[in-house]
Amino acid sequence: LSSFTFPFTRESGVPLSSVLPRMLTVYPQTKSYFAHWKDLSPGSPPVRKHGITIMGGVYDAVSKVDDLVGGLLTLSELHAFMLRIDPVNFKILSHCMLVVLSMLFPEDFTPQVHLAVDKFLALLALALAEKYR
Amino acid sequence: MVEWTDQERTLIANIFANLDYEDIGSKALARCLIVYPWTQRYFGGFGNLYNADAIMNNPMISAHGVKILHGLDRAVKNMDDIKNAYATLSELHSEKLHVDPDNFRLLSDCLSIVIASKMGYDFTPDLQAAWQKFLTVVVFALGRQYH
């Protein structure tokens, strides 16, 4: 557990906020969820701000790791009933997070840390999709 | 047929021009075997895979990782017909090696992450997009002859 909270505690907000803009560029189909923002370019303020919100949620989930389903109940309901994001996109965003972590911490993002973070993000995605049906 | 923009061709060519096959190939395969342990099923004859350190220091795995990475050379040389360029390799993976094609995706994700760690901020979103598009095409071509 401690090996994967380490990269998160070193996050400085700014570089990890690049995860969402990166996802929109690498996986353009994800833009379909953001049609309400005219500007979806990488520097766009609402995109960056939203990226920070999402990463804040992920960081918050680290403290709930022992009961992700319970801890993420309201967020799951939000994603299931209001946002209705296809869960395949959780995998896509997770991959982008792993890529950015790998860029930010080339020495520390060892295979073991990668495994732990990947496992955590997969469980997080599962908890988030809990309320879908 | 896949359409490549000039920018994509340049970005991909640049990655290969600066690619340290020995370093990246060995790291990518080792990472895949550690992060997705079920992929070890294909490496029964490769010696000690008992733990992460053993895998990372295993010379047979390193050599094989480099070999796999060189397998991508074929795609760079035949970017306009990757599908046919990989026809025989696809048959090999299906008929002889019996590799579940989903593993190609897992390895390519690990490869992207290893390259990202090497390039840092140079691994821009545009570069990642072109690179992943390239890998997706190769992965698809490798899975094509399965039946």
Side-chain angles (χ1 to χ4, degrees):
Chain A
L1 234 68
S2 55
S3 71
F4 77 73
T5 52
F6 165 47
F8 278 100
T9 56
R10 277 179 54 184
E11 94 175 66
S12 57
V14 174
L16 280 179
S17 72
S18 68
V19 174
L20 186 66
R22 179 171 288 261
M23 183 187 76
L24 297 178
T25 303
V26 181
Y27 301 94
Q29 69 271 23
T30 56
K31 288 193 210 168
S32 62
Y33 290 98
F34 299 99
H36 50 285
W37 291 331
K38 271 198 240 10
D39 177 14
L40 289 176
S41 66
S44 150
V47 172
R48 281 192 40 136
K49 182 160 169 282
H50 198 65
I52 294 172
T53 305
I54 294 178
M55 291 313 297
V58 174
Y59 186 42
D60 199 50
V62 173
S63 61
K64 302 181 178 151
V65 70
D66 291 316
D67 181 20
L68 282 173
V69 172
L72 294 173
L73 207 65
T74 24
L75 269 180
S76 181
E77 285 175 349
L78 173 76
H79 285 75
F81 303 121
M82 281 217 47
L83 302 175
R84 286 190 273 218
I85 298 181
D86 189 319
V88 75
N89 294 290
F90 301 152
K91 273 203 194 119
I92 288 176
L93 185 63
S94 296
H95 176 67
C96 290
M97 280 189 239
L98 295 173
V99 167
V100 173
L101 281 174
S102 171
M103 288 163 57
L104 288 174
F105 306 106
E107 300 299 322
D108 299 316
F109 197 61
T110 61
Q112 294 93 319
V113 172
H114 175 170
L115 193 170
V117 179
D118 190 40
K119 182 173 167 180
F120 168 71
L121 291 176
L123 290 171
L124 203 171
L126 218 54
L128 224 46
E130 180 77 15
K131 287 287 172 200
Y132 273 60
R133 50 180 178 172
Chain B
M1 209 186 74
V2 183
E3 301 279 332
W4 302 99
T5 64
D6 286 337
Q7 193 205 21
E8 284 168 342
R9 288 178 197 270
T10 309
L11 287 171
I12 290 162
N14 279 342
I15 290 191
F16 278 91
N18 299 309
L19 196 58
D20 180 349
Y21 287 82
E22 305 290 323
D23 184 41
I24 304 286
S26 56
K27 283 194 175 131
L29 182 60
R31 189 169 282 255
C32 187
L33 294 175
I34 294 167
V35 179
Y36 307 109
W38 55 94
T39 56
Q40 291 170 28
R41 75 189 303 280
Y42 302 107
F43 295 89
F46 278 68
N48 186 2
L49 301 179
Y50 192 60
N51 53 39
D53 281 327
I55 293 173
M56 289 194 283
N57 293 308
N58 184 319
M60 288 174 77
I61 293 294
S62 290
H64 200 69
V66 178
K67 184 173 173 188
I68 293 177
L69 193 54
H70 273 296
L72 289 179
D73 294 342
R74 192 181 296 220
V76 191
K77 296 196 178 83
N78 295 285
M79 276 183 68
D80 292 309
D81 194 13
I82 292 180
K83 189 175 78 182
N84 282 318
Y86 280 90
T88 33
L89 266 179
S90 179
E91 264 189 62
L92 172 79
H93 284 76
S94 163
E95 303 304 307
K96 264 204 73 185
L97 303 175
H98 305 291
V99 179
D100 181 342
D102 193 55
N103 291 285
F104 306 147
R105 183 183 59 82
L106 297 178
L107 182 59
S108 63
D109 281 351
C110 285
L111 189 52
S112 299
I113 283 167
V114 171
I115 287 184
S117 77
K118 193 95 188 259
M119 297 183 71
Y121 283 103
D122 289 335
F123 197 58
T124 61
D126 282 334
L127 182 54
Q128 183 183 348
W131 175 245
Q132 289 196 194
K133 175 177 168 179
F134 173 75
L135 288 179
T136 304
V137 174
V138 173
V139 162
F140 180 72
L142 268 177
R144 228 175 152 273
Q145 301 304 324
Y146 280 65
H147 63 95

